[in-house]
Amino acid sequence: MAATTVAASHRRARVATRRPLGLVPTAVLLVGAIYCLFPVFWVMIAATKSPGELFSTATLAFGTGFADNVAQLFAYRDGVFWLWALNTLIYAGGGALLSTAVSAISGYALAKYRFPGRNVIFNVLIGGILVPSVVLAIPQYLLFAKIGLADTYWAVLLPQILHPYSIYLARIYAAAAIPDSLLEAGRIDGAGDWTLMSRVAMPLMVPGMVTIFLFQFVAIWNNFLLPFIMLGDDNKFPLTVGLFTLLQAGSNQPSLYNLILTGAFLSIVPLIALFLTMQRYWRTDLSSGAVK
Amino acid sequence: MRANRLGAALAVALTATLASCGSSEPAQSPEAAQSPTAAAQGPVKLTFWTWAPNMDKIVDVWNKAHPDIQVTVSKQAGGDDAAAKYLTASKAGNPPDLVQAEYQHLPSFVAADAVADLKAETASIKGEFSEGLWGLVTLGTEGVYGIPQDSGPMMLYYRKDLFDKYGIAVPKTWQEYADAARTVRKKDSKVYLGTFSSKDPGAFAGLAQQAGAQWWSISGESWKVNIADEPTKKVADYWGGLVKEGAIDDMPFFTPEWNKALNDGKLLSWPSAVWAPGVLATNAPKAKDKWAIAPMPQWNAGENFTGFWGGSSVAVSSKTPNKAAAAQFATWLNTDPAAVDLLVKEAAIYPATTKAQSALGEAPEYFSNQPDFWQQASAASAGARGFTFGPNVGVTYNTFKDAFDKALQNKTPFSDAIQSMQDATVADMRKSGFTIAS
């Protein structure tokens, strides 16, 4: 406790001395925030415009067609939007959960157990971080087609479960958050490996797991290329691919810009909600890191 | 690389275990699909990738009338990505049985052996289509690789009210079009007669077709590539000259600024295809009833030529075990009067059969002041000439975008950009192993 206060007062002192320069980082961060949030803001405004207003009113003026757009979107092809939303939820929720479980267990094992090949596995994983998943999408598709799993839910779920960066993160987190002495104490008390993991290690890793879950959830939610290549059946499409079919609807009929924009806007609402609700776990994460 | 392989190996191991745990989706094993006994039991099941709107409703009509051949529609996104996706699926061995194929992508499907030759199945319906359209599915060979579904003959769309305001007559030749462009600039410096888009190779190909270009041709086993031919260079230099002297604008089509210019009456004409009313209705709703159509301006007075921009066919996968059934469905969809009628009404396409084209009655709503819209379209269609597309149109079209972007930026002649298209196309075809006759 004393240590924390000392550290805190140190930090306060440092902040105080740096205050004159403090404006610069704040300004940079502000610019960054605007850069990231402006497109979101634009989508929000554009989603309120009726087709007639979309290209004729001022870019940042709100329109009057939001309710109509939403109604049209939900009525489009007998409500296929909901089906796509449900699919996205299955892919993102299921994929992120499975991926978090795999990452946490592997990260824990890599951090706390010494076994032959540990470094090789870890180095391979590090290498895996360097390979963008976009590059893998087509080989994965050919592979899945061979085993007859292309165009199924698994085709989108499975490739996203093993995520090298998440395992890397879990290992770093486990190494920092789980004291060896705690595990030793548990072992002396007669706990087996399973008990140690489920009762001692995992509860300590919850903040890290939340981070991984959020990362993966967002990544899968926004993923376009993998489901685009893997899925042929439009009833299995996630929102990203589904909305794309509205955009590229062939040239002989009106493009449904207002529906696409409304769909895009509605599809980011759950993400925002998720971040706002999960935020406090993240804060725990940061503070517990600081204590260490 | 190591990680890559490991990931792949893990994925296989995982899928193997999970598949045995029972996935809810019945994975279609290739053996089952290909065995004739499996096909004989129960109705033939076909899948159809298309982006035409409301195709599921049209297919429902077929499914009700044909209990033995059941078609499932899977609505895809259109465009170049759709072609890439189909090629990948075909390579992986699980393509759909039927696929909507844009004319310019059909040759790449043929080159990849991804579509079946329907010569025998289509012998009786050949006469339903104009020669220009039929050439787009035969590629000038003996084979027939798809059944034409819709077509995009080009016409001149113009703002009738503003033509009157600026006192311009509808141009009958490209020379008159250029003069009109200059007149407009003189009368109002904020307004352009038209624009040249460096992002729409399809439109440029249509203009080149009108001038008589033949970008590709097949003789025996070898290809001839002639993108930098005289007609194409003539078209390129014509537009390049107009852009250079500032007589027309150079903003691309389908961009927000273009939409805005259309809405505000800052762009007075658009040489476009028969599907343009749909685009104008979405992008320029304010200008409803102010647009009119005319035949394309000609290179020589008195001619009646035009080109195609867009249009697609329905092709049958070379891997399907039910080729005959698939061909039967594709034939019905594109030639049966009831089906074509549905295509026009539900999918809003401009039909490919000559009979259906002349039977179109009421003008599109956006053009309700132009009651002879479809008669004009039909006349344009009669004079439309296409050319055989090559197996790597994607490369050619991408080079078009790059080269013309650069030409606009550096103010270099457009004919140089044409030469880069020719060179890039030939180089890519050589690399892919095509024989090229010089």
Side-chain angles (χ1 to χ4, degrees), chain A residues 42 51-59 76-78 84 98 102 120-121 123-129 131 135-136 138-155 158-159 161-162 164 224 227-237 241 244-258, chain B residues 1-4 6-12 14-16 18-19 22-30 49 51-54 56 73-82 85 88-95 100 102 150 254-256 259-260 263-264 275-279 281-286 309-312 347-350:
Chain A
W42 181 84
E53 292 165 336
L54 189 55
F55 296 116
S56 48
T57 57
T59 311
Y76 177 74
R77 291 178 61 205
D78 304 327
W84 292 337
L98 287 169
V102 169
V120 175
I121 292 178
N123 289 340
V124 168
L125 283 172
I126 298 271
I129 295 175
V131 182
V135 177
L136 298 180
I138 288 181
Q140 278 166 345
Y141 173 68
L142 297 176
L143 223 63
F144 274 69
K146 208 164 245 173
I147 52 175
L149 275 185
D151 202 10
T152 65
Y153 281 94
W154 291 115
L158 289 175
I161 288 177
L162 190 88
F224 172 76
F228 176 72
I229 294 175
M230 285 288 184
L231 301 173
D233 176 1
D234 56 342
N235 289 326
K236 298 194 191 84
F237 282 174
V241 181
F244 186 62
T245 64
L246 263 71
L247 185 64
Q248 299 276 351
S251 42
N252 45 20
Q253 64 129 18
S255 301
L256 305 161
Y257 290 122
N258 57 325
Chain B
M1 228 33 227
R2 266 194 306 174
N4 182 341
L6 180 83
L10 273 174
V12 172
L14 273 171
T15 42
L18 282 166
S23 82
S24 57
E25 301 305 318
Q28 188 193 16
S29 80
W49 281 7
W51 57 86
N54 297 322
D56 37 358
V73 169
S74 188
K75 191 169 189 297
Q76 304 291 318
D80 297 351
D81 310 302
K85 181 169 172 175
T88 317
S90 180
K91 192 154 197 147
N94 65 339
Q100 184 178 2
E102 283 182 275
D150 60 321
F254 312 114
T255 55
N259 294 336
K260 198 164 167 39
N263 263 313
D264 298 349
W275 40 257
V279 177
T282 344
N283 298 9
K286 276 207 292 192
W309 181 8
S312 56
I349 62 148
Y350 183 64

Side-chain angles (χ1 to χ4, degrees), chain B residues 283-336:
Chain B
N283 298 9
K286 276 207 292 192
K288 182 177 182 299
D289 285 340
K290 291 178 181 158
W291 287 82
I293 52 169
M296 282 284 266
Q298 299 296 315
W299 286 104
N300 299 309
E303 285 176 350
N304 180 27
F305 288 122
T306 187
F308 292 104
W309 181 8
S312 56
S313 60
V314 175
V316 173
S317 165
S318 56
K319 305 240 167 35
T320 176
N322 302 308
K323 183 181 156 192
Q328 201 188 332
F329 167 74
T331 306
W332 172 83
L333 179 64
N334 297 311
T335 58
D336 184 271

